[in-house]
Amino acid sequence: GAEFCSTQGFETLLTRMKEGSNMCKELEDFLKHRAKAEEEYSKTLQKMVKSTGDGGEIGILRNAWDTVRKETDHLATVHTTMSQSLLKEAEDIRGFRKLQEQHRKEIEEDNMKYTRLKRDLYKKTMDAKRSYEQKCKEADGAENAYSTSRVTAQQKEIDKLKKKASGARQQAEQADTAYKSCVEGLEQSRISWEKSHAHSCQVFQKMEEERIMFLRDKLWVHSNLGSMICVQNDEHYEDMRKALEHCDQHKDVSLFVNTKKTGTQRPAPVVYESYYPDGTKSAKKFAVSPLHRDRPSTMSSRPPEPLPQVASAASAVPNLPTKDKHRSISANKYPGPSGINPAERLPYSRTEERE
């Protein structure tokens, strides 16, 4: 600033240097977090590989699966290396940041020493100036009083005023000398401060340029590491793809059939085997009455003999008991199969049924 004792310019430079140091710390933490993420990812991949088995797979697909697991383990190694490289870069940034902070503090202390000296001398000079001005006023007043007293005052009073004016002038001259001395000292301090400040500005500029280039290089290295790990990952994935290209479902199925087959002939069919060796006998068949199809019939299997023509159904059974008459009448209402009226058939005798 334009003010003689202002430190605004130097404080602005210090603020910028501290901001640069904060940026270094930010990048350092960023790389550490990235390294931690790579390490955790690597451990996760290793855990995945160890926790998986062959799944009972066989053939070419089994070989491809083993290749995928092996290459995944290699990917974990790649990410572990990436994590270690990032930690190394973070440590380099930390060392650079500490070195710059130490150098900045040395420059700051040197500049503040000249700033304090200049401020103290400036204060002393201003005090000397005020004293000089006051002494000059007193000397002028004493001399004016002496000049005035020479006309009206007595000789004794005139001598007294003369002596006072002479002493005041002498003090004014002494104050003038002290004031000049302070101004000369302050000028020397100002020159020294300016040189120190110019040196601080040059050093800070150099440090800032180094910091910018250093961080730029570290960010470039970070980008290169990211590109390198992508290339290495693609190489391992390419190995996986090459192994998968050899997969053939027909060969794997044929391998399973050849290694797990239980025989080459089909089971023989089940055929009917008769209980009787000659096969001439069979189970006896029974006819079923139309009215009683759910139970075996007690009627003879012989066809009924034709009956002589009768005038009516009522005369055909003149001597039946009352119960049998009702049964015969009921049968007339429900003709039997093949258009034969059950009333026209007489039940066979027990002798015929036994036959």
Side-chain angles (χ1 to χ4, degrees):
E3 187 180 352
F4 186 82
C5 293
S6 175
T7 59
Q8 184 178 359
F10 186 73
E11 290 176 355
T12 301
L13 293 177
L14 282 179
T15 300
R16 178 56 188 165
M17 297 303 296
K18 291 178 180 179
E19 289 174 349
S21 179
N22 292 337
M23 177 58 195
C24 290
K25 186 67 169 59
E26 290 289 338
L27 182 56
E28 177 187 346
D29 293 340
F30 175 82
L31 294 181
K32 287 182 178 180
H33 292 157
R34 176 65 189 278
K36 184 178 180 181
E38 293 291 340
E39 182 181 3
E40 291 178 352
Y41 182 60
S42 175
K43 290 181 179 179
T44 301
L45 291 178
Q46 292 175 350
K47 186 177 180 180
M48 288 170 51
V49 174
K50 292 180 180 179
S51 62
T52 55
D54 54 21
E57 192 54 67
I58 61 173
I60 304 175
L61 185 59
R62 166 65 180 277
N63 296 334
W65 172 234
D66 291 341
T67 301
V68 170
R69 295 170 60 205
K70 180 183 69 175
E71 296 303 326
T72 302
D73 188 64
H74 292 168
L75 289 175
T77 304
V78 169
H79 286 280
T80 299
T81 304
M82 174 73 169
S83 175
Q84 295 172 352
S85 299
L86 290 173
L87 286 177
K88 182 179 180 300
E89 295 300 320
E91 287 299 319
D92 291 344
I93 295 175
R94 180 176 181 276
F96 177 82
R97 178 173 60 85
K98 293 294 184 182
L99 184 62
Q100 279 216 333
E101 288 179 353
Q102 182 180 358
H103 200 183
R104 173 181 59 80
K105 289 180 180 179
E106 292 175 357
I107 297 299
E108 182 181 2
E109 291 176 358
D110 185 68
N111 187 276
M112 292 304 298
K113 180 180 67 175
Y114 287 100
T115 300
R116 286 192 295 267
L117 178 60
K118 184 186 71 168
R119 185 185 296 115
D120 294 342
L121 288 177
Y122 177 79
K123 182 180 179 181
K124 184 178 180 181
T125 299
M126 293 298 102
D127 292 341
K129 180 182 179 181
R130 286 190 293 269
S131 176
Y132 162 71
E133 291 175 349
Q134 182 65 29
K135 296 299 181 181
C136 287
K137 289 179 181 180
E138 291 176 358
D140 291 343
E143 289 178 351
N144 290 335
Y146 169 68
S147 298
T148 303
S149 66
R150 292 176 64 181
V151 179
T152 59
Q154 298 180 359
Q155 187 62 37
K156 184 176 180 181
E157 186 67 22
I158 293 173
D159 292 340
K160 184 178 179 181
L161 292 175
K162 180 181 179 180
K163 183 177 180 181
K164 183 178 179 180
S166 176
R169 179 54 59 187
Q170 185 178 2
Q171 290 179 359
E173 292 177 353
Q174 292 177 353
D176 178 66
T177 303
Y179 176 49
K180 289 180 180 179
S181 176
C182 288
V183 171
E184 292 176 357
L186 179 59
E187 180 62 15
Q188 293 295 327
S189 175
R190 185 190 66 80
I191 294 174
S192 299
W193 176 84
E194 284 187 352
K195 291 181 179 179
S196 175
H197 187 73
H199 176 69
S200 299
C201 291
Q202 293 174 357
V203 172
F204 284 168
Q205 180 177 347
K206 184 178 180 181
M207 291 173 61
E208 183 68 2
E209 292 173 352
E210 291 177 351
R211 183 189 67 83
I212 293 174
M213 293 303 298
F214 178 80
L215 295 184
R216 178 257 185 192
D217 291 343
K218 292 305 176 183
L219 289 172
W220 193 286
V221 170
H222 170 263
S223 301
N224 286 344
L225 289 173
S227 298
M228 180 183 66
I229 195 173
C230 289
V231 173
Q232 293 177 347
N233 285 346
D234 187 67
E235 291 176 354
H236 293 298
Y237 284 121
E238 181 63 22
D239 292 338
M240 295 181 191
R241 288 189 288 269
K242 290 180 180 179
L244 292 171
E245 286 176 353
H246 295 88
C247 287
D248 189 328
Q249 66 273 25
H250 302 295
K251 292 182 179 180
D252 282 1
V253 171
S254 297
L255 177 62
F256 170 76
V257 172
N258 293 331
T259 56
K260 302 296 182 178
K261 63 183 178 181
T262 58
T264 58
Q265 296 180 354
R266 297 179 180 180
V270 178
V271 298
Y272 170 75
E273 297 179 2
S274 177
Y275 176 78
Y276 301 96
D278 52 2
T280 57
K281 294 183 179 182
S282 59
K284 186 176 181 181
K285 297 181 180 179
F286 297 94
V288 180
S289 173
L291 299 178
H292 307 282
R293 296 184 181 273
D294 293 336
R295 59 183 182 180
S297 176
T298 57
M299 303 292 289
S300 174
S301 61
R302 291 184 302 173
E305 296 180 358
L307 297 176
Q309 296 293 330
V310 294
S312 63
S315 61
V317 285
N319 298 323
L320 291 176
T322 303
K323 183 177 181 181
D324 292 337
K325 288 181 179 180
H326 288 295
R327 181 182 303 172
S328 176
I329 294 171
S330 299
N332 291 334
K333 297 181 180 179
Y334 304 99
S338 302
I340 301 176
N341 195 330
E344 297 177 357
R345 296 186 299 174
L346 292 177
Y348 294 108
S349 63
R350 295 296 181 180
T351 305
E352 291 177 339
E353 290 179 1
R354 284 194 297 271
E355 292 178 358

